[in-house]
Amino acid sequence: MMQGLTAHHFVTESAPLAEGGTALVHSAAGGVGRMVTQLLKLRGARVIGLVSREEKVLLVKAAGADEVLVSPVATSRTVSRT
């Protein structure tokens, strides 16, 4: 339930888009990300989903994303700490 409330808040209050607007949804394969994608599509927005692995692309496309970008998430192993 909290994921749905969070997604609804993002789409209607935090960053409402007019029909035809474009949104980049980070973590689009997660629970909130998928719901945000679906809600944005219902409002007529163009959605670009961002995922960390190629295996998640079809899941995000099935949620309605127009495009899906794959960008590996930085981890403590890949971030240089000086």
Side-chain angles (χ1 to χ4, degrees):
M1 182 164 155
M2 289 306 294
Q3 290 177 340
L5 290 171
T6 301
H8 183 267
H9 181 75
F10 285 159
V11 171
T12 61
E13 301 293 327
S14 293
L17 284 177
E19 186 173 338
T22 300
L24 174 64
V25 179
H26 290 257
S27 300
V32 173
R34 284 195 317 260
M35 288 184 190
V36 166
T37 297
Q38 292 169 342
L39 290 172
L40 286 169
K41 290 305 294 179
L42 286 172
R43 295 173 67 92
R46 177 173 178 258
V47 177
I48 302 169
L50 184 63
V51 297
S52 60
R53 294 195 314 261
E54 192 71 37
E55 301 85 43
K56 298 178 180 182
V57 171
L58 291 178
L59 180 66
V60 177
K61 283 274 196 181
D66 298 291
E67 304 290 335
V68 181
L69 304 175
V70 180
S71 176
V73 177
T75 65
S76 59
R77 292 183 199 144
T78 59
V79 175
S80 174
R81 297 179 191 244
T82 55

